[in-house]
Amino acid sequence: MRLRADIFVSALLRRVFASGDFAAVEKKGAEEAGAIFIRQHFRDGLETLYAPAPQTAFGDEQTGDRLFEIRLLRAEPEAVWAMLERERKFDPDLWIVELEAEELGDLIPLARDGG
């Protein structure tokens, strides 16, 4: 069973604050099953956008996990915003979480390359 979106986001925010960084919910989505997008802000003004990984990235043991993939890496904020606007048109119930942290460590579970 997959962890509810609101619980995942709440836990992520607490972990970010515990590490001494800042996080905020830019857009609240569906509490139970909303897709979660994460914007990582860097001091140089660039951003990395993490998006839900496709189902092909999940192994048999990961069916209930949330995995992310990097959709845009150290991109201009306008490019991130444009991609999120396209996603919002497709799925208005998505979450957008903003993080101000140079390093995320293991805060966001990333899909392995190649699925």
Side-chain angles (χ1 to χ4, degrees):
M1 187 169 152
R2 178 182 254 187
L3 190 62
R4 290 172 46 123
D6 58 344
I7 294 172
F8 179 90
V9 169
S10 178
L12 174 62
L13 268 59
R14 287 181 188 198
R15 291 179 70 198
V16 169
F17 285 127
S19 70
D21 293 312
F22 178 78
V25 175
E26 178 182 326
K27 181 185 179 306
K28 186 176 178 180
E31 292 182 354
E32 291 186 16
I36 301 168
F37 289 80
I38 301 169
R39 297 173 69 176
Q40 180 184 12
H41 298 275
F42 296 98
R43 290 186 190 121
D44 62 5
L46 299 177
E47 299 181 11
T48 293
L49 178 64
Y50 298 89
Q55 287 300 118
T56 57
F58 290 81
D60 293 336
E61 69 281 354
Q62 297 173 312
T63 56
D65 296 344
R66 286 190 183 271
L67 290 178
F68 295 87
E69 66 178 4
I70 295 174
R71 192 70 59 86
L72 292 173
L73 181 63
R74 295 190 73 88
E76 293 293 330
E78 295 80 17
V80 173
W81 182 251
M83 181 167 281
L84 286 171
E85 281 302 307
R86 287 191 301 272
E87 292 290 342
R88 281 184 193 186
K89 289 177 184 173
F90 178 73
D91 179 9
D93 290 329
L94 61 80
W95 290 75
I96 300 175
V97 179
E98 294 189 52
L99 308 178
E100 289 183 8
E102 289 296 315
E103 292 294 324
L104 295 181
D106 64 350
L107 289 176
I108 299 173
L110 292 176
R112 290 178 278 126
D113 289 335

